[in-house]
PDB file of all heavy atoms in Angstrom:
ATOM      1  N   VAL S   1     118.296  92.086  82.794  1.00 98.00           N
ATOM      2  CA  VAL S   1     118.627  91.044  83.772  1.00 98.00           C
ATOM      3  C   VAL S   1     118.780  89.695  83.080  1.00 98.00           C
ATOM      4  O   VAL S   1     117.949  89.311  82.256  1.00 98.00           O
ATOM      5  CB  VAL S   1     117.531  90.942  84.857  1.00 98.00           C
ATOM      6  CG1 VAL S   1     117.886  89.863  85.873  1.00 98.00           C
ATOM      7  CG2 VAL S   1     117.327  92.287  85.546  1.00 98.00           C
ATOM      8  N   LEU S   2     119.842  88.981  83.429  1.00 98.00           N
ATOM      9  CA  LEU S   2     120.059  87.608  82.977  1.00 98.00           C
ATOM     10  C   LEU S   2     120.057  86.702  84.198  1.00 98.00           C
ATOM     11  O   LEU S   2     120.798  86.940  85.156  1.00 98.00           O
ATOM     12  CB  LEU S   2     121.406  87.483  82.254  1.00 98.00           C
ATOM     13  CG  LEU S   2     121.892  86.055  81.961  1.00 98.00           C
ATOM     14  CD1 LEU S   2     120.975  85.355  80.958  1.00 98.00           C
ATOM     15  CD2 LEU S   2     123.336  86.078  81.440  1.00 98.00           C
ATOM     16  N   VAL S   3     119.224  85.659  84.163  1.00 98.00           N
ATOM     17  CA  VAL S   3     119.177  84.686  85.256  1.00 98.00           C
ATOM     18  C   VAL S   3     119.495  83.308  84.682  1.00 98.00           C
ATOM     19  O   VAL S   3     118.739  82.770  83.873  1.00 98.00           O
ATOM     20  CB  VAL S   3     117.801  84.675  85.955  1.00 98.00           C
ATOM     21  CG1 VAL S   3     117.831  83.699  87.134  1.00 98.00           C
ATOM     22  CG2 VAL S   3     117.431  86.068  86.439  1.00 98.00           C
ATOM     23  N   ILE S   4     120.627  82.759  85.095  1.00 98.00           N
ATOM     24  CA  ILE S   4     121.074  81.441  84.654  1.00 98.00           C
ATOM     25  C   ILE S   4     120.615  80.414  85.685  1.00 98.00           C
ATOM     26  O   ILE S   4     120.762  80.621  86.878  1.00 98.00           O
ATOM     27  CB  ILE S   4     122.606  81.419  84.510  1.00 98.00           C
ATOM     28  CG1 ILE S   4     123.048  82.431  83.449  1.00 98.00           C
ATOM     29  CG2 ILE S   4     123.103  80.021  84.158  1.00 98.00           C
ATOM     30  CD1 ILE S   4     124.540  82.710  83.461  1.00 98.00           C
ATOM     31  N   GLY S   5     120.050  79.306  85.214  1.00 97.00           N
ATOM     32  CA  GLY S   5     119.450  78.349  86.142  1.00 97.00           C
ATOM     33  C   GLY S   5     118.173  78.909  86.737  1.00 97.00           C
ATOM     34  O   GLY S   5     117.787  78.580  87.861  1.00 97.00           O
ATOM     35  N   GLY S   6     117.499  79.745  85.962  1.00 97.00           N
ATOM     36  CA  GLY S   6     116.341  80.485  86.467  1.00 97.00           C
ATOM     37  C   GLY S   6     115.056  79.696  86.572  1.00 97.00           C
ATOM     38  O   GLY S   6     114.068  80.210  87.104  1.00 97.00           O
ATOM     39  N   ALA S   7     115.044  78.456  86.080  1.00 97.00           N
ATOM     40  CA  ALA S   7     113.824  77.650  86.184  1.00 97.00           C
ATOM     41  C   ALA S   7     113.821  76.766  87.418  1.00 97.00           C
ATOM     42  O   ALA S   7     112.831  76.093  87.699  1.00 97.00           O
ATOM     43  CB  ALA S   7     113.657  76.787  84.929  1.00 97.00           C
ATOM     44  N   GLY S   8     114.916  76.766  88.167  1.00 95.00           N
ATOM     45  CA  GLY S   8     114.977  75.978  89.392  1.00 95.00           C
ATOM     46  C   GLY S   8     114.279  76.668  90.549  1.00 95.00           C
ATOM     47  O   GLY S   8     113.743  77.774  90.405  1.00 95.00           O
ATOM     48  N   SER S   9     114.295  76.040  91.689  1.00 95.00           N
ATOM     49  CA  SER S   9     113.552  76.552  92.848  1.00 95.00           C
ATOM     50  C   SER S   9     114.039  77.930  93.280  1.00 95.00           C
ATOM     51  O   SER S   9     113.248  78.863  93.453  1.00 95.00           O
ATOM     52  CB  SER S   9     113.679  75.573  94.022  1.00 95.00           C
ATOM     53  OG  SER S   9     113.154  74.314  93.687  1.00 95.00           O
ATOM     54  N   ILE S  10     115.358  78.085  93.448  1.00 96.00           N
ATOM     55  CA  ILE S  10     115.887  79.356  93.939  1.00 96.00           C
ATOM     56  C   ILE S  10     115.898  80.404  92.832  1.00 96.00           C
ATOM     57  O   ILE S  10     115.505  81.552  93.046  1.00 96.00           O
ATOM     58  CB  ILE S  10     117.301  79.172  94.527  1.00 96.00           C
ATOM     59  CG1 ILE S  10     117.283  78.145  95.660  1.00 96.00           C
ATOM     60  CG2 ILE S  10     117.849  80.500  95.040  1.00 96.00           C
ATOM     61  CD1 ILE S  10     118.654  77.795  96.205  1.00 96.00           C
ATOM     62  N   GLY S  11     116.325  80.016  91.637  1.00 97.00           N
ATOM     63  CA  GLY S  11     116.366  80.964  90.529  1.00 97.00           C
ATOM     64  C   GLY S  11     115.006  81.548  90.203  1.00 97.00           C
ATOM     65  O   GLY S  11     114.860  82.760  89.985  1.00 97.00           O
ATOM     66  N   SER S  12     113.976  80.711  90.174  1.00 98.00           N
ATOM     67  CA  SER S  12     112.626  81.200  89.864  1.00 98.00           C
ATOM     68  C   SER S  12     112.101  82.085  90.990  1.00 98.00           C
ATOM     69  O   SER S  12     111.385  83.065  90.736  1.00 98.00           O
ATOM     70  CB  SER S  12     111.671  80.019  89.614  1.00 98.00           C
ATOM     71  OG  SER S  12     111.579  79.177  90.753  1.00 98.00           O
ATOM     72  N   SER S  13     112.457  81.767  92.230  1.00 98.00           N
ATOM     73  CA  SER S  13     112.039  82.611  93.358  1.00 98.00           C
ATOM     74  C   SER S  13     112.735  83.965  93.313  1.00 98.00           C
ATOM     75  O   SER S  13     112.149  84.997  93.672  1.00 98.00           O
ATOM     76  CB  SER S  13     112.337  81.906  94.685  1.00 98.00           C
ATOM     77  OG  SER S  13     111.568  80.726  94.817  1.00 98.00           O
ATOM     78  N   PHE S  14     113.999  83.980  92.890  1.00 98.00           N
ATOM     79  CA  PHE S  14     114.735  85.238  92.700  1.00 98.00           C
ATOM     80  C   PHE S  14     114.024  86.107  91.656  1.00 98.00           C
ATOM     81  O   PHE S  14     113.850  87.313  91.851  1.00 98.00           O
ATOM     82  CB  PHE S  14     116.157  84.919  92.250  1.00 98.00           C
ATOM     83  CG  PHE S  14     116.977  86.105  91.821  1.00 98.00           C
ATOM     84  CD1 PHE S  14     117.494  86.988  92.748  1.00 98.00           C
ATOM     85  CD2 PHE S  14     117.255  86.320  90.476  1.00 98.00           C
ATOM     86  CE1 PHE S  14     118.271  88.078  92.355  1.00 98.00           C
ATOM     87  CE2 PHE S  14     118.021  87.401  90.067  1.00 98.00           C
ATOM     88  CZ  PHE S  14     118.529  88.282  91.010  1.00 98.00           C
ATOM     89  N   ILE S  15     113.604  85.493  90.576  1.00 98.00           N
ATOM     90  CA  ILE S  15     112.892  86.220  89.521  1.00 98.00           C
ATOM     91  C   ILE S  15     111.608  86.832  90.070  1.00 98.00           C
ATOM     92  O   ILE S  15     111.301  88.010  89.834  1.00 98.00           O
ATOM     93  CB  ILE S  15     112.586  85.270  88.338  1.00 98.00           C
ATOM     94  CG1 ILE S  15     113.884  84.935  87.595  1.00 98.00           C
ATOM     95  CG2 ILE S  15     111.561  85.887  87.388  1.00 98.00           C
ATOM     96  CD1 ILE S  15     113.745  83.808  86.588  1.00 98.00           C
ATOM     97  N   LYS S  16     110.837  86.050  90.823  1.00 98.00           N
ATOM     98  CA  LYS S  16     109.571  86.545  91.368  1.00 98.00           C
ATOM     99  C   LYS S  16     109.785  87.654  92.393  1.00 98.00           C
ATOM    100  O   LYS S  16     108.956  88.564  92.510  1.00 98.00           O
ATOM    101  CB  LYS S  16     108.794  85.383  92.003  1.00 98.00           C
ATOM    102  CG  LYS S  16     108.300  84.361  90.985  1.00 98.00           C
ATOM    103  CD  LYS S  16     107.705  83.141  91.682  1.00 98.00           C
ATOM    104  CE  LYS S  16     107.347  82.059  90.680  1.00 98.00           C
ATOM    105  NZ  LYS S  16     106.853  80.824  91.339  1.00 98.00           N
ATOM    106  N   ALA S  17     110.891  87.589  93.127  1.00 98.00           N
ATOM    107  CA  ALA S  17     111.188  88.647  94.098  1.00 98.00           C
ATOM    108  C   ALA S  17     111.567  89.946  93.400  1.00 98.00           C
ATOM    109  O   ALA S  17     111.259  91.046  93.884  1.00 98.00           O
ATOM    110  CB  ALA S  17     112.326  88.196  95.018  1.00 98.00           C
ATOM    111  N   MET S  18     112.201  89.828  92.255  1.00 98.00           N
ATOM    112  CA  MET S  18     112.756  90.977  91.552  1.00 98.00           C
ATOM    113  C   MET S  18     111.759  91.670  90.619  1.00 98.00           C
ATOM    114  O   MET S  18     111.803  92.895  90.440  1.00 98.00           O
ATOM    115  CB  MET S  18     113.969  90.494  90.744  1.00 98.00           C
ATOM    116  CG  MET S  18     114.809  91.561  90.118  1.00 98.00           C
ATOM    117  SD  MET S  18     116.155  90.770  89.213  1.00 98.00           S
ATOM    118  CE  MET S  18     115.248  89.581  88.220  1.00 98.00           C
ATOM    119  N   LEU S  19     110.853  90.917  90.013  1.00 98.00           N
ATOM    120  CA  LEU S  19     109.963  91.475  88.985  1.00 98.00           C
ATOM    121  C   LEU S  19     109.100  92.648  89.457  1.00 98.00           C
ATOM    122  O   LEU S  19     108.840  93.561  88.659  1.00 98.00           O
ATOM    123  CB  LEU S  19     109.085  90.369  88.394  1.00 98.00           C
ATOM    124  CG  LEU S  19     109.783  89.443  87.395  1.00 98.00           C
ATOM    125  CD1 LEU S  19     108.827  88.376  86.883  1.00 98.00           C
ATOM    126  CD2 LEU S  19     110.385  90.226  86.224  1.00 98.00           C
ATOM    127  N   PRO S  20     108.638  92.685  90.711  1.00 98.00           N
ATOM    128  CA  PRO S  20     107.853  93.858  91.138  1.00 98.00           C
ATOM    129  C   PRO S  20     108.604  95.181  91.013  1.00 98.00           C
ATOM    130  O   PRO S  20     107.976  96.250  90.980  1.00 98.00           O
ATOM    131  CB  PRO S  20     107.524  93.545  92.604  1.00 98.00           C
ATOM    132  CG  PRO S  20     107.542  92.054  92.683  1.00 98.00           C
ATOM    133  CD  PRO S  20     108.636  91.640  91.750  1.00 98.00           C
ATOM    134  N   PHE S  21     109.939  95.117  90.912  1.00 98.00           N
ATOM    135  CA  PHE S  21     110.731  96.344  90.775  1.00 98.00           C
ATOM    136  C   PHE S  21     110.965  96.722  89.310  1.00 98.00           C
ATOM    137  O   PHE S  21     111.704  97.647  89.014  1.00 98.00           O
ATOM    138  CB  PHE S  21     112.052  96.191  91.534  1.00 98.00           C
ATOM    139  CG  PHE S  21     111.865  96.035  93.017  1.00 98.00           C
ATOM    140  CD1 PHE S  21     111.869  94.777  93.605  1.00 98.00           C
ATOM    141  CD2 PHE S  21     111.650  97.142  93.821  1.00 98.00           C
ATOM    142  CE1 PHE S  21     111.670  94.621  94.968  1.00 98.00           C
ATOM    143  CE2 PHE S  21     111.459  96.995  95.192  1.00 98.00           C
ATOM    144  CZ  PHE S  21     111.461  95.738  95.761  1.00 98.00           C
ATOM    145  N   LYS S  22     110.334  95.982  88.387  1.00 98.00           N
ATOM    146  CA  LYS S  22     110.192  96.327  86.975  1.00 98.00           C
ATOM    147  C   LYS S  22     111.494  96.519  86.197  1.00 98.00           C
ATOM    148  O   LYS S  22     111.822  97.613  85.744  1.00 98.00           O
ATOM    149  CB  LYS S  22     109.302  97.570  86.836  1.00 98.00           C
ATOM    150  CG  LYS S  22     107.900  97.347  87.389  1.00 98.00           C
ATOM    151  CD  LYS S  22     106.958  98.483  87.091  1.00 98.00           C
ATOM    152  CE  LYS S  22     105.546  98.138  87.573  1.00 98.00           C
ATOM    153  NZ  LYS S  22     104.577  99.214  87.329  1.00 98.00           N
ATOM    154  N   PRO S  23     112.233  95.426  85.999  1.00 98.00           N
ATOM    155  CA  PRO S  23     113.369  95.487  85.080  1.00 98.00           C
ATOM    156  C   PRO S  23     112.875  95.672  83.645  1.00 98.00           C
ATOM    157  O   PRO S  23     111.740  95.319  83.319  1.00 98.00           O
ATOM    158  CB  PRO S  23     114.039  94.125  85.267  1.00 98.00           C
ATOM    159  CG  PRO S  23     112.927  93.215  85.710  1.00 98.00           C
ATOM    160  CD  PRO S  23     112.034  94.071  86.556  1.00 98.00           C
ATOM    161  N   GLU S  24     113.740  96.183  82.788  1.00 98.00           N
ATOM    162  CA  GLU S  24     113.362  96.419  81.387  1.00 98.00           C
ATOM    163  C   GLU S  24     113.350  95.128  80.582  1.00 98.00           C
ATOM    164  O   GLU S  24     112.526  94.934  79.697  1.00 98.00           O
ATOM    165  CB  GLU S  24     114.342  97.398  80.752  1.00 98.00           C
ATOM    166  CG  GLU S  24     114.093  97.674  79.275  1.00 98.00           C
ATOM    167  CD  GLU S  24     115.180  98.534  78.670  1.00 98.00           C
ATOM    168  OE1 GLU S  24     115.361  99.669  79.156  1.00 98.00           O
ATOM    169  OE2 GLU S  24     115.850  98.070  77.730  1.00 98.00           O
ATOM    170  N   ALA S  25     114.287  94.236  80.891  1.00 98.00           N
ATOM    171  CA  ALA S  25     114.410  92.986  80.143  1.00 98.00           C
ATOM    172  C   ALA S  25     114.755  91.852  81.098  1.00 98.00           C
ATOM    173  O   ALA S  25     115.459  92.041  82.093  1.00 98.00           O
ATOM    174  CB  ALA S  25     115.484  93.110  79.071  1.00 98.00           C
ATOM    175  N   LEU S  26     114.253  90.654  80.796  1.00 98.00           N
ATOM    176  CA  LEU S  26     114.553  89.457  81.586  1.00 98.00           C
ATOM    177  C   LEU S  26     114.822  88.301  80.634  1.00 98.00           C
ATOM    178  O   LEU S  26     113.945  87.889  79.874  1.00 98.00           O
ATOM    179  CB  LEU S  26     113.392  89.113  82.514  1.00 98.00           C
ATOM    180  CG  LEU S  26     113.512  87.780  83.269  1.00 98.00           C
ATOM    181  CD1 LEU S  26     114.725  87.782  84.194  1.00 98.00           C
ATOM    182  CD2 LEU S  26     112.241  87.483  84.059  1.00 98.00           C
ATOM    183  N   VAL S  27     116.043  87.801  80.662  1.00 98.00           N
ATOM    184  CA  VAL S  27     116.421  86.613  79.903  1.00 98.00           C
ATOM    185  C   VAL S  27     116.713  85.503  80.903  1.00 98.00           C
ATOM    186  O   VAL S  27     117.505  85.689  81.834  1.00 98.00           O
ATOM    187  CB  VAL S  27     117.654  86.879  79.012  1.00 98.00           C
ATOM    188  CG1 VAL S  27     118.136  85.583  78.369  1.00 98.00           C
ATOM    189  CG2 VAL S  27     117.313  87.909  77.943  1.00 98.00           C
ATOM    190  N   VAL S  28     116.057  84.366  80.735  1.00 98.00           N
ATOM    191  CA  VAL S  28     116.223  83.232  81.641  1.00 98.00           C
ATOM    192  C   VAL S  28     116.810  82.062  80.866  1.00 98.00           C
ATOM    193  O   VAL S  28     116.284  81.673  79.818  1.00 98.00           O
ATOM    194  CB  VAL S  28     114.882  82.810  82.279  1.00 98.00           C
ATOM    195  CG1 VAL S  28     115.102  81.717  83.314  1.00 98.00           C
ATOM    196  CG2 VAL S  28     114.180  84.006  82.913  1.00 98.00           C
ATOM    197  N   VAL S  29     117.892  81.519  81.377  1.00 98.00           N
ATOM    198  CA  VAL S  29     118.584  80.398  80.741  1.00 98.00           C
ATOM    199  C   VAL S  29     118.549  79.193  81.672  1.00 98.00           C
ATOM    200  O   VAL S  29     118.863  79.313  82.856  1.00 98.00           O
ATOM    201  CB  VAL S  29     120.047  80.777  80.409  1.00 98.00           C
ATOM    202  CG1 VAL S  29     120.837  79.559  79.972  1.00 98.00           C
ATOM    203  CG2 VAL S  29     120.077  81.848  79.328  1.00 98.00           C
ATOM    204  N   ASP S  30     118.162  78.048  81.126  1.00 97.00           N
ATOM    205  CA  ASP S  30     118.126  76.817  81.926  1.00 97.00           C
ATOM    206  C   ASP S  30     118.149  75.635  80.973  1.00 97.00           C
ATOM    207  O   ASP S  30     117.595  75.710  79.867  1.00 97.00           O
ATOM    208  CB  ASP S  30     116.863  76.769  82.792  1.00 97.00           C
ATOM    209  CG  ASP S  30     117.017  75.862  83.999  1.00 97.00           C
ATOM    210  OD1 ASP S  30     117.136  74.638  83.801  1.00 97.00           O
ATOM    211  OD2 ASP S  30     117.020  76.366  85.133  1.00 97.00           O
TER     212      ASP S  30
END
């Protein structure tokens, strides 16, 4: 998973919603 703008309010909330489903990799760009 790649999340661009992931440190903002919506991007970080998207990450927190998704992580319980256990992706293999998470790259966050901001």
